[in-house]
């Protein structure tokens, strides 16, 4: 039986837009359209709902789920870092934007996408299967230094040197083609330490996925563009799933809400600037215990929101 995709923090997302009059809305990570469906239902005043996703399979699922809304929904097959600038260039302004970052459970659950070490499949990990590189290309061609760097920086894996070294040694004998191949190689050196809940394979696979899809670079580039796309009073809500994503979102929100440049290291002088947003969530919103019990994936989710001045 196919596992149903469940969107995280649905009530909390609705609450952030509850008192908003939404004429045009952008869901930059449409996925299976779980958030889109509840937003369209709660806001019948929406005239244009723009759903963006780089995964054609996700877009097909969304089309089926939202078929009742007809021409009100516009589907864009692209990554949001490319789609948002295109909307800006066309003069589009919106009243709300939602970004639900990271990999979806429906992608993790499909072995042929190669996202999870729990299922055997080709070592791919591309959200857009026309993009490059794939995880296989990275694992089989990047040098030991660069492999170690992404395991350290993107996976925050303490055993990053050993992971990079064993991969380089193993590929000299034969190409690493599948998630099972890579897992077997890494299990030789990566041991789960007592008291640690997270399997180190999770961190290495996370690091590869982030590198393949340029996830952190995309977030850093796109947040300012989302702010530019908003009408005055419009809101941007972002859901993150690990500390690297959340740190970038937190810092960008704080910077854009501040009336000072970050120049504390230069003779203690702070340069004035105009804030462009106000932080609606000073601390991230997290899932309730009930939601975590019903949807364990929500346990790591953090929701932050800003409003354009």
């Amino acid at each position: 039986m196919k596992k149903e995709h469940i969107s995280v923090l649905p009530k909390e997302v609705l609450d952030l837009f509850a008192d908003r009059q939404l004429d045009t809305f952008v869901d930059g990570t449409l996925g299976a359209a779980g958030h889109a469906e509840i937003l369209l239902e709660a806001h019948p005043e929406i005239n244009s709902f723009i759903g963006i996703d780089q995964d054609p399979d996700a877009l097909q699922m969304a089309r089926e789920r939202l078929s009742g809304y007809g021409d009100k929904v516009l589907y864009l097959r692209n990554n949001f870092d490319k789609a948002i600038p295109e909307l800006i260039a066309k003069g589009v302004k919106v009243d709300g934007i939602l970004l639900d970052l990271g990999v979806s459970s429906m992608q993790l659950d499909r072995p042929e996408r190669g996202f999870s070490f729990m299922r055997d499949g080709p070592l791919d990990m591309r959200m857009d299967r026309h993009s490059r590189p794939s995880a296989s290309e990275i694992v089989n061609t990047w040098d030991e230094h660069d492999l170690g760097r992404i395991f350290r920086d993107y996976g925050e894996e303490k055993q990053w040197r050993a992971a990079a070294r064993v991969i380089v040694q193993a590929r000299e004998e034969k190409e690493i083609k599948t998630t099972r191949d890579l897992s077997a190689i890494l299990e030789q050196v990566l041991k789960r330490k007592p008291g640690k809940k997270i399997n180190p394979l999770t961190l290495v696979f996370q690091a590869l996925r982030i590198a393949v899809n340029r996830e952190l670079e995309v977030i850093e580039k796109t947040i300012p563009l989302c702010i530019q796309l908003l009408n005055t009073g419009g809101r941007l809500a972002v859901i993150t799933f690990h500390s690297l994503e959340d740190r970038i979102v937190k810092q960008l929100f704080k910077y854009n809400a501040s009336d000072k440049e970050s120049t504390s290291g230069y003779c203690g002088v702070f340069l004035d600037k105009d804030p462009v947003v106000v932080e609606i969530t000073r601390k991230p919103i997290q899932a309730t215990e009930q939601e975590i019990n019903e949807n364990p994936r929500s346990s790591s989710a953090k929701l932050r929101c800003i409003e354009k001045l």
Side-chain angles (χ1 to χ4, degrees):
M1 182 179 291
K2 198 173 187 176
K3 187 187 288 186
E4 181 185 0
H5 173 73
I6 305 172
S7 296
V8 304
L9 300 168
K11 177 183 180 300
E12 291 78 4
V13 167
L14 282 182
D15 287 347
L16 289 173
F17 295 101
D19 61 347
R20 306 285 98 181
Q21 186 72 16
L22 304 178
D23 179 76
T24 305
F25 194 95
V26 169
D27 187 336
T29 45
L30 185 61
H35 288 120
E37 185 175 45
I38 60 174
L39 282 162
L40 283 161
E41 184 178 340
H43 292 271
E45 77 277 10
I46 292 176
N47 286 313
S48 179
F49 192 98
I50 303 168
I52 303 167
D53 207 290
Q54 58 187 328
D55 186 340
D57 296 335
L59 283 177
Q60 182 56 39
M61 292 177 66
R63 285 179 188 277
E64 294 170 5
R65 187 168 189 169
L66 303 178
S67 59
Y69 292 97
D71 294 340
K72 182 180 283 194
V73 184
L74 173 65
Y75 302 91
L76 298 181
R77 183 180 169 229
N78 216 331
N79 198 352
F80 54 80
D81 72 320
K82 296 182 178 67
I84 299 293
E86 290 176 2
L87 294 174
I88 292 172
K90 292 177 180 178
V92 174
K93 284 289 186 180
V94 306
D95 305 301
I97 303 172
L98 174 65
L99 302 177
D100 180 1
L101 302 175
V103 65
S104 74
S105 56
M106 65 180 180
Q107 290 169 326
L108 288 171
D109 292 338
R110 296 181 62 181
E112 70 271 20
R113 302 303 300 273
F115 283 103
S116 175
F117 65 88
M118 301 291 289
R119 295 167 176 80
D120 190 32
L123 197 55
D124 194 322
M125 299 192 190
R126 291 173 296 175
M127 293 181 187
D128 176 358
R129 283 177 283 186
H130 292 91
S131 67
R132 292 188 66 184
S134 67
S136 178
E137 288 178 77
I138 290 176
V139 164
N140 287 288
T141 65
W142 285 23
D143 64 31
E144 185 175 328
H145 174 269
D146 286 336
L147 286 173
R149 176 182 55 81
I150 64 170
F151 298 156
R152 179 194 65 202
D153 295 348
Y154 297 164
E156 298 181 305
E157 170 51 53
K158 297 269 194 282
Q159 305 169 83
W160 56 273
R161 289 186 182 87
R165 189 181 309 117
V166 75
I167 286 172
V168 170
Q169 291 170 348
R171 75 190 189 195
E172 289 178 358
E173 297 183 14
K174 65 174 184 176
E175 183 181 359
I176 304 168
K177 294 182 177 180
T178 70
T179 55
R180 184 169 292 168
D181 289 344
L182 180 58
S183 298
I185 291 164
L186 291 170
E187 283 170 349
Q188 298 173 39
V189 295
L190 299 186
K191 308 298 180 184
R192 187 184 297 192
K193 295 181 179 178
K196 291 286 185 181
K197 294 182 179 179
I198 299 178
N199 188 321
L201 292 182
T202 301
L203 300 177
V204 171
F205 271 65
Q206 170 188 292
L208 280 170
R209 192 199 77 224
I210 289 172
V212 166
N213 297 290
R214 304 178 301 110
E215 292 176 27
L216 303 184
E217 175 189 333
V218 165
I219 298 166
E220 197 158 6
K221 172 185 173 183
T222 308
I223 296 292
L225 295 173
C226 287
I227 294 171
Q228 187 178 341
L229 186 65
L230 287 171
N231 282 316
T232 299
R235 288 186 173 181
L236 165 63
V238 183
I239 301 173
T240 63
F241 287 90
H242 57 75
S243 60
L244 299 174
E245 291 176 338
D246 185 60
R247 192 177 305 139
I248 292 172
V249 174
K250 177 184 177 180
Q251 290 172 347
L252 287 171
F253 280 13
K254 185 176 181 180
Y255 172 78
N256 283 281
S258 174
D259 63 356
K260 296 287 188 294
E261 291 283 357
S262 178
T263 58
S264 58
Y266 183 70
C267 302
V269 175
F270 289 87
L271 300 178
D272 292 335
K273 73 176 184 66
D274 293 328
V276 294
V277 303
V278 60
E279 291 183 274
I280 302 302
T281 53
R282 293 301 180 111
K283 293 183 178 181
I285 298 170
Q286 296 181 267
T288 62
E289 188 175 339
Q290 179 181 344
E291 181 179 359
I292 292 171
N293 289 334
E294 294 172 356
N295 181 17
R297 180 173 177 262
S298 67
S299 63
S300 59
K302 292 183 178 180
L303 170 62
R304 296 182 185 270
C305 182
I306 51 176
E307 182 177 311
K308 188 171 182 178
L309 293 173

